[in-house]
Structure formats: C-alpha cells, structure tokens
Amino acid sequence: MNAAAQKQPAKSAVLPTYNRSPVAFTHGEGVYLYSTEGRRYLDFGSGIAVTALGHCHPHLVKALTDQAAKLWHCSNIYTIPDQERLAKRLTDLTFADAVFFANSGAEAVECGIKMIRHYHHSTGNPGKYRILCVNNAFHGRTLTTIFAGGQAKHTEGFGPPVDGFDHVAFGNLNEMRAAVTAQTAGILVEPIQGEGGYSATPPGYLQGLRAICDEFGLLLMFDEVQTGNGRTGKLYAYDVYGVAPDIMATAKGLGGGFPVGACLASAKAATGMIAGTHGSTFGGNPLAMAVGNAVLDVLTQPGFLDKVSATGKQLHAKLRELQKRHPRVFVEVRGLGLMAGLRCAEGVLSGDMVAKLREAGLLSIGAGENVVRLAPPLIIDDSHIAEAIAILDKVAAAWPLPAEKARAAG
Ligand SMILES: *Cc1c(COP(=O)(O)O)cnc(C)c1O
C-alpha cells in the first residue's frame, strides 16, 4: 500500500487548527448571512469584528470590482497611487504621520514591534529593546505576536520563547511603572481587550501609560486591530480616551472583509524606518487599497460615527436590561460602542451560549473570561438590536438551571 492509502480517511484536508461550527454560508447581505441550508442568520459577529459595513456593501463591491478590472497587483517597488491616498487620509484623520500597509493584524503589530526596537537602535540606544505588555492580551498568531500576547494557551509548545516581552497586570499603572528597566523600549496594549473578553481599560489608565512613556523615553503603541475603524464610535478608540499613541496597529474593519492591515506611526517613532528596513509583497496592493479607501469614504461621512456611537449606547442599554432579566445566565455587560460583551454566569459556558444563539439565528463570538462578544456591523439600526435582544431573551429564558441540567443528565 502506498502512504496515501494507509492514511485514515480524513474528514477535512484543512489543518484542524480551528474549532469550527458546521454551518457554511453562501452569501451575505447587510446584517444578514445565508447558509447552505437556506437559513438566515443575524450577524452580530461580523466575522470577528471584520465586516464593519455589513456584507456586500454596494460602495465596497463597486470599489473592489472596478479595481479588479484595472489592476490587481503592483509591487511596492512602484508607486501605488491609492496607497498614497489611503495613507494621506489616515494620517490626516489621526495622530500619525506615516503608514505601513500589511495584510493582517498580526503583521501590522509586528511592524510596530520592529519600529519600537529600531527607534531606539537608530537614536543610539540599541540596548533598549524590551516591550511591556499586559496579561490576557492578544496581538496575533505569528511566533513573535504570540509571545507579545503572552497567553500560555497560545504559546504552549512553541518555545523557546521569542525574547523581549515582559508582562504585568492589565489596568495596573503601579505594576507597569515598576516594571520599566534600562532595557525597556516601549509599551504595547489594546485600549479594549478583544480576545481577552472586551474588558475596557480603567479610567485614566491610558493617560497613565502615556505619562510613563514620556517620563522614561518609551514609545507607546496601541493595538487597535479590533477596536479601530469606527467600532467604538470614534475612528480609533484612542480618541475616545483622548490619549494619542506613538504607534498604532489596525486591521480587521479597515478592509471591511478584504485583508488589509496598517501600522500608523508618528514621525518620531518612524525615525529609523528608512528604505530597506521593512517590506511586504502584498501589503498595500491596489485591491486592498481600493477597498480601504471605500471603507473610509463611508466611515467619514458626516454623522456616520455619531450614529455608531448612539447605536452603541442603545445596544449597551438594551443589554443591561437583558442582563437584569436573566441574572442567572448573564452577570455583566462590558465593552464600548459596537463592541459589547456579555459575561456569562458560572456554569454557563460562553461557547455553549454562542452555539445556542446560533441555533436560534443569532451569530456571536466567544472570548476569554467566559464572555459572549457582540460586534455587529456598524450599519445596524434599532430594529436589528431589537431582533438580537429577542433571540437573547428566548435563549436565556430557556437556559436550564444547574438542577435541571443535573436531572437531565442523571
Ligand atoms: C485579530 C487581532 C489581531 C490579529 O489579527 P490577524 O489579522 O488575525 O493577524 C491582533 N490584535 C488584536 C487586538 C486582534 O483583535
């Protein structure tokens, strides 16, 4: 027998690194997804906070298809006009003076990590290379970014560790300050922890980090891969808190579903990043840039982000009422804007909740700390919130009490 015939019949030829639900979708429209079985789902996951403008937004479809008929790929050894345009727009709208385009969140974070190290190298302090991160963080799945995240469930088996990251408690300024050494180069945090369970930083925390960075000559980097691009009601979450970083990584919503990542930086932080220091074959390609510009067209329409902010407040208010109606199922509402987390009670597993909600027609996402994440497209209105709350109410009301569970099992 040859080697192929000896193999066990495999269910899937895809490397089984994901916990997948069997549901598959054929198409999407706005806030809804349609499965191969013809079922309609209310999409309050947006992938994982990616399809910021819903599915098949006409402006995005047009931008992508128009570009697809003109030019797909053009190396970064040439000038890419739409890349210049998107970078200019992003710098006009933010703290930043320069942008590097990548294809994913992890790559955008990686660019920022390199930039922090290179800044100190090029300003005569090559011994400063360590980055302070926080516990329960998530910065991506490359070898470097798993060690920046520092979570054992992501790093286990992938040692030896990529050196250069130190971790302290999330939200604790005293610990952060005490952890600064002569080798510290910067601080990297998510303004609101995404995979960690939508825990927002405590009031004054980001200001405190800014002060520590200024005092010790460190660069402050925010990972806004998930919080960025309108999700919190501002273009970037740092604006909600009124604290500008030196470097910011973003991705997810920026392409509305097309892969694109970006690392934004102040002129100071970007000091050493001259020709030859960094690069990407696909980063900033014409297709991604056409869509990125189209997403930004919508996000910057007058009143768009104010509406996101108002819709976010409405969603949080409705979720707080829901939590009060079902305290044995949900114990806390977290997050900001259209990133809302429902922490489940002990004994209610967020993964089970996500599955039950899906069976009832609502898509959500599990996260750390037993949280169910709701990250709907930014285009939702009150009717979609009402539809989601009705499903949550139904599923929560039918959730078996521990005693009933025991009876059913025994
Ligand atoms: C999703 C995410 C990443 C990684 O993005 P990829 O596109 O999967 O590489 C990094 N940081 C945060 C905060 C994220 O939410």
Side-chain angles (χ1 to χ4, degrees):
M1 259 196 284
N2 65 25
Q6 278 172 6
K7 274 201 279 183
Q8 294 294 318
K11 245 187 114 201
S12 166
V14 178
L15 196 69
T17 59
Y18 300 101
N19 274 315
R20 294 178 196 269
S21 130
V23 179
F25 302 106
T26 51
H27 64 287
E29 194 186 327
V31 188
Y32 296 94
L33 273 171
Y34 297 83
S35 74
T36 46
E37 289 166 337
R39 257 197 92 179
R40 189 178 90 150
Y41 292 85
L42 180 64
D43 185 5
F44 266 43
S46 308
I48 299 182
V50 169
T51 47
L53 301 180
H55 299 282
C56 295
H57 190 288
H59 186 60
L60 271 54
V61 172
K62 185 171 184 331
L64 182 65
T65 50
D66 283 357
Q67 185 60 44
K70 287 191 279 190
L71 179 66
W72 291 25
H73 178 74
C74 166
S75 168
N76 283 305
I77 56 179
Y78 303 102
T79 299
I80 301 173
D82 270 356
Q83 191 184 113
E84 300 291 333
R85 177 158 174 261
L86 185 55
K88 175 77 169 72
R89 293 173 80 188
L90 286 171
T91 55
D92 286 347
L93 289 161
T94 65
F95 73 95
D97 301 303
V99 185
F100 179 87
F101 289 105
N103 311 289
S104 66
E107 282 176 283
V109 172
E110 183 103 15
C111 174
I113 291 169
K114 285 180 71 175
M115 201 183 290
I116 290 175
R117 290 191 178 188
H118 207 282
Y119 168 79
H120 292 286
H121 168 86
S122 55
T123 54
N125 292 297
K128 288 187 188 292
Y129 70 97
R130 305 195 69 82
I131 297 175
L132 284 166
C133 303
V134 296
N135 297 334
N136 201 36
F138 184 81
H139 299 298
R141 293 297 202 113
T142 64
L143 198 54
T144 299
T145 53
I146 58 173
F147 285 100
Q151 295 197 49
K153 66 179 178 192
H154 297 142
T155 59
E156 162 122 55
F158 295 109
V162 173
D163 186 31
F165 302 99
D166 300 302
H167 292 83
V168 298
F170 174 67
N172 188 324
L173 285 172
N174 291 334
E175 266 197 34
M176 186 66 86
R177 204 169 189 288
V180 176
T181 70
Q183 294 181 325
T184 306
I187 294 175
L188 165 61
V189 295
E190 300 158 82
I192 299 166
Q193 290 196 322
E195 302 308 298
Y198 279 4
S199 20
T201 44
Y205 183 65
L206 299 182
Q207 279 84 353
L209 295 184
R210 181 73 267 173
I212 292 169
C213 286
D214 294 344
E215 181 181 345
F216 293 99
L218 316 177
L219 293 180
L220 179 61
M221 174 172 168
F222 290 158
D223 180 344
E224 291 226 31
V225 170
Q226 193 157 162
T227 53
N229 312 299
R231 180 108 335 248
T232 62
K234 295 279 187 192
L235 192 56
Y236 292 100
Y238 76 80
D239 225 7
V240 177
Y241 296 95
V243 180
D246 302 297
I247 300 171
M248 182 185 79
T250 192
K252 292 200 165 90
L254 183 59
F258 196 92
V260 55
C263 182
L264 283 70
S266 67
K268 174 185 150 186
T271 302
M273 302 302 284
I274 55 168
T277 52
H278 197 45
S280 165
T281 295
F282 294 123
N285 73 77
L287 292 172
M289 296 298 98
V291 182
N293 274 303
V295 169
L296 214 52
D297 290 343
V298 178
L299 296 183
T300 55
Q301 268 168 15
F304 184 89
L305 290 176
D306 291 338
K307 169 123 193 305
V308 172
S309 191
T311 313
K313 288 201 177 86
Q314 172 75 356
L315 175 63
H316 281 264
K318 293 289 173 193
L319 289 174
R320 281 193 296 271
E321 290 168 18
L322 172 93
Q323 187 276 321
K324 291 209 179 78
R325 286 194 295 278
H326 306 283
R328 71 188 180 92
V329 179
F330 299 121
V331 290
E332 187 191 350
V333 178
R334 302 171 154 194
L336 186 69
L338 288 179
M339 50 194 305
L342 274 168
R343 192 158 67 85
C344 298
E346 223 183 289
V348 178
L349 295 180
S350 57
D352 293 345
M353 178 59 67
V354 168
K356 283 279 182 235
L357 292 171
R358 186 178 64 242
E359 283 164 27
L362 176 68
L363 301 181
S364 61
I365 322 156
E369 302 187 333
N370 210 22
V371 166
V372 171
R373 274 181 282 178
L374 301 175
L378 309 183
I379 54 166
I380 59 161
D381 59 33
D382 290 356
S383 75
H384 300 114
I385 294 178
E387 197 181 333
I389 295 289
I391 295 172
L392 281 157
D393 256 322
K394 197 177 80 182
V395 169
W399 204 267
L401 290 162
E404 294 167 6
K405 254 194 180 160
R407 231 177 295 134

